[in-house]
Amino acid sequence: MKKKLMSALLCASLTAALAVGCGGNGGGSEGGGAKDDSGKTTLTMWLPPMDDDTEGNFKPLLADFEEENNCEVKIELIPWDTYEEKWSTAISGGEGPDIGYMYAEMYPTYISSGAVIDLSDMVEDSDYDEYLYLDRGEMMGGLYGVPIVTGVPFVMYYNQDILDDLGESAPETWEDFKRICEKATKDTDGDGKVDQYGYAVGLNSGDMSNLYMLNSYIYSLIWQAGGDIYADDLKSARFNDESGAEALEFFLSLKDYMPENVLSLSGTDAFSTVFGAGKAAFGVTRSSQSQETLFKESYPDLNWDYVTSLKNEDYGTFGAADSLSIMSACENPELAMKLIKYICGSEFMTEYHKVAPGAPLTKTEQYTGDPKMERIVTKDRDKWRPLQVGPCGSEILENLASHIQSIMEEKMEVQEALDESAEFANDTLDEYWADNEE
């Protein structure tokens, strides 16, 4: 999500650090799931800023848990721009928390090095029934996280006024979408220049990660075409197969309906200055349970709605499943897991989501966000999914993103670019598995 994750080549140093133990001081803080002189257990938890006052919002909600379990939960907030750096430095140096917030790109290295524990034996069937997204914490053969932030996928927003003028309804398929994009792209004021577009796309990363392009535009098409990034065994890439090529050919075919400066325009600016300004039929951005409220402030004149996912072979769009994980050096993993279940449970989240709206994480938590966005987490919940987590993910995805850029710059043919990127991915995976397969 933010900076590029450190190379899997550091796995060896992480593994060595685990032998020293990483839960003892929490990166300079007391912790490690150990008891102090009073017999009280301390658990350290690392989080990024999840709202305007994460610690201030969390601590009151943890008071009952701390009292009932004779423990203290120490929260350390780490800024987003140094989040991965803090983790890699700490774990490599034999430090770290008991519980940590992680996102998909972080997991491969820490799973491979044994820095996080498999939670499979710490959950029951009833947990899968209650915790709605628990299966999205499954990756690389185990359950390594319990989702704490999810339900905010990238969705396709549309300008209702433009579609009404064209006599069109919301698209359902690729065919619908392309037809409307073509009809919407035109000169509306008669000066001979196109001033309304079908699809507000920006391929410059701007102030975002280079992977923002994949999050916004590419994963969805690959999944809708029936493809994925890795083969099922995670030992080779499959994004260059027939499905992957179909997805990228379709994306390239839409270029005529994108802004002329699509290559230099950032994805976030494309949404705000083109779609948000009423100059495009469609735009993609991450959804939010408070989107209706936010759009009223940012785009007061925009008459909008959304499609969670188009369908080709299948549905699919990217929705993160950022999770809480237990570090292997935690001295009391049972208590740590109890805390994670409590935080992600209905009692805690019902109160927390009053100040920081989010998708209900459990069956017993009620939805409290904007009504217009509710269908994302109800009837459309199976139309979005997290990223497939596999070894060397950041390196492979960064390389793929650069090759897609070459496709859109028309420097490479689709299959040529995907094959070259897949060759890099497969060589990288061969090295990884040679070092890690038992």
Side-chain angles (χ1 to χ4, degrees):
M1 290 170 57
K2 298 291 177 182
K3 295 182 179 178
K4 183 178 178 182
L5 185 61
M6 64 178 182
S7 169
L9 295 176
L10 291 179
C11 285
S13 65
L14 291 181
T15 304
L18 292 173
V20 177
C22 67
N25 61 17
S29 305
E30 294 179 2
K35 293 183 178 180
D36 60 20
D37 293 340
S38 67
K40 180 180 290 188
T41 301
T42 299
L43 290 173
T44 58
M45 180 165 60
W46 286 4
L47 302 172
M50 295 171 59
D51 56 70
D52 292 338
D53 184 15
T54 303
E55 186 169 5
N57 290 326
F58 265 51
K59 287 301 288 184
L61 300 178
L62 292 171
D64 287 346
F65 181 91
E66 291 176 314
E67 182 177 355
E68 291 172 7
N69 293 278
N70 191 30
C71 70
E72 178 184 6
V73 180
K74 289 190 174 182
I75 296 173
E76 182 174 348
L77 289 181
I78 304 169
W80 278 115
D81 60 355
T82 59
Y83 199 71
E84 290 191 28
E85 180 182 353
K86 169 75 171 182
W87 272 93
S88 61
T89 301
I91 301 301
S92 295
E95 300 178 347
D98 298 301
I99 298 169
Y101 178 114
M102 292 189 177
Y103 40 85
E105 292 91 340
M106 294 179 67
Y107 276 105
T109 293
Y110 297 116
I111 291 173
S112 299
S113 67
V116 293
I117 67 173
D118 187 347
L119 308 177
S120 300
D121 293 335
M122 305 178 77
V123 297
E124 301 175 353
D125 290 344
S126 59
D127 292 318
Y128 277 93
D129 183 55
E130 172 64 7
Y131 293 87
L132 297 174
Y133 303 100
L134 188 55
D135 62 328
R136 301 186 187 198
E138 295 175 349
M139 58 196 95
M140 294 179 68
L143 176 69
Y144 289 98
V146 178
I148 183 174
V149 174
T150 190
V152 288
F154 285 79
V155 301
M156 181 71 71
Y157 294 89
Y158 60 86
N159 185 312
Q160 186 67 65
D161 291 336
I162 291 178
L163 266 61
D164 288 346
D165 288 345
L166 297 173
E168 293 281 1
S169 56
E172 297 181 6
T173 66
W174 284 10
E175 182 180 2
D176 295 338
F177 181 69
K178 186 172 182 178
R179 180 186 68 251
I180 298 171
C181 282
E182 182 177 7
K183 291 170 68 175
T185 303
K186 58 185 178 179
D187 169 19
T188 63
D189 60 11
D191 68 354
K193 298 179 181 179
V194 172
D195 51 28
Q196 178 178 283
Y197 304 93
Y199 193 12
V201 172
L203 299 179
N204 187 313
S205 59
D207 61 353
M208 304 295 285
S209 162
N210 291 333
L211 303 185
Y212 188 83
M213 172 180 64
L214 302 182
N215 295 345
S216 301
Y217 313 119
I218 304 302
Y219 295 141
S220 57
L221 295 179
I222 290 175
W223 295 334
Q224 289 162 22
D228 216 327
I229 302 300
Y230 296 89
D232 289 343
D233 62 5
L234 306 179
K235 293 184 178 181
S236 62
R238 60 161 298 193
F239 55 73
N240 63 325
D241 64 11
E242 184 177 349
S243 298
E246 181 184 12
L248 268 297
E249 290 285 4
F250 180 69
F251 189 61
L252 180 61
S253 77
L254 300 172
K255 188 178 178 183
D256 288 342
Y257 317 127
M258 300 174 188
E260 293 87 348
N261 61 339
V262 59
L263 296 174
S264 60
L265 187 65
S266 73
T268 51
D269 285 347
F271 189 85
S272 62
T273 66
V274 182
F275 179 78
K279 299 177 183 177
F282 301 104
V284 173
T285 194
R286 189 189 301 273
S287 60
S288 164
Q289 274 66 54
S290 56
Q291 201 83 78
E292 195 169 6
T293 302
L294 295 172
F295 277 11
K296 282 181 181 178
E297 298 173 358
S298 301
Y299 316 117
D301 299 325
L302 187 64
N303 181 15
W304 63 276
D305 209 325
Y306 66 94
V307 175
T308 302
S309 171
L310 297 172
K311 185 179 183 182
N312 186 47
E313 180 73 20
D314 202 351
Y315 292 104
T317 190
F318 172 66
D322 296 358
S323 300
L324 293 179
S325 298
I326 301 175
M327 308 310 292
S328 60
C330 175
E331 295 180 17
N332 196 332
E334 292 78 15
L335 181 60
M337 187 61 176
K338 188 175 182 180
L339 175 60
I340 289 175
K341 289 182 179 180
Y342 178 74
I343 290 174
C344 297
S346 179
E347 179 181 348
F348 184 101
M349 279 297 162
T350 294
E351 295 303 314
Y352 179 66
H353 284 156
K354 290 178 181 178
V355 297
L361 299 180
T362 58
K363 187 167 66 174
T364 51
E365 182 187 350
Q366 298 299 307
Y367 179 83
T368 58
D370 292 340
K372 193 170 188 174
M373 309 307 294
E374 184 174 6
R375 72 174 185 265
I376 290 175
V377 297
T378 53
K379 69 177 185 179
D380 287 353
R381 185 152 59 92
D382 292 334
K383 293 182 179 179
W384 52 272
R385 49 165 284 189
L387 180 64
Q388 183 188 29
V389 173
C392 315
S394 288
E395 295 95 326
I396 289 170
L397 295 174
E398 289 274 5
N399 185 273
L400 175 60
S402 69
H403 279 79
I404 292 173
Q405 194 78 22
S406 294
I407 291 171
M408 299 305 290
E409 292 172 0
E410 300 181 33
K411 294 178 179 178
M412 300 182 76
E413 298 293 325
V414 168
Q415 194 65 61
E416 173 194 12
L418 292 180
D419 285 345
E420 185 173 288
S421 186
E423 182 178 6
F424 169 85
N426 291 333
D427 288 345
T428 303
L429 289 168
D430 286 346
E431 292 180 13
Y432 170 86
W433 286 111
D435 291 336
N436 289 277
E437 200 162 29
E438 295 180 357

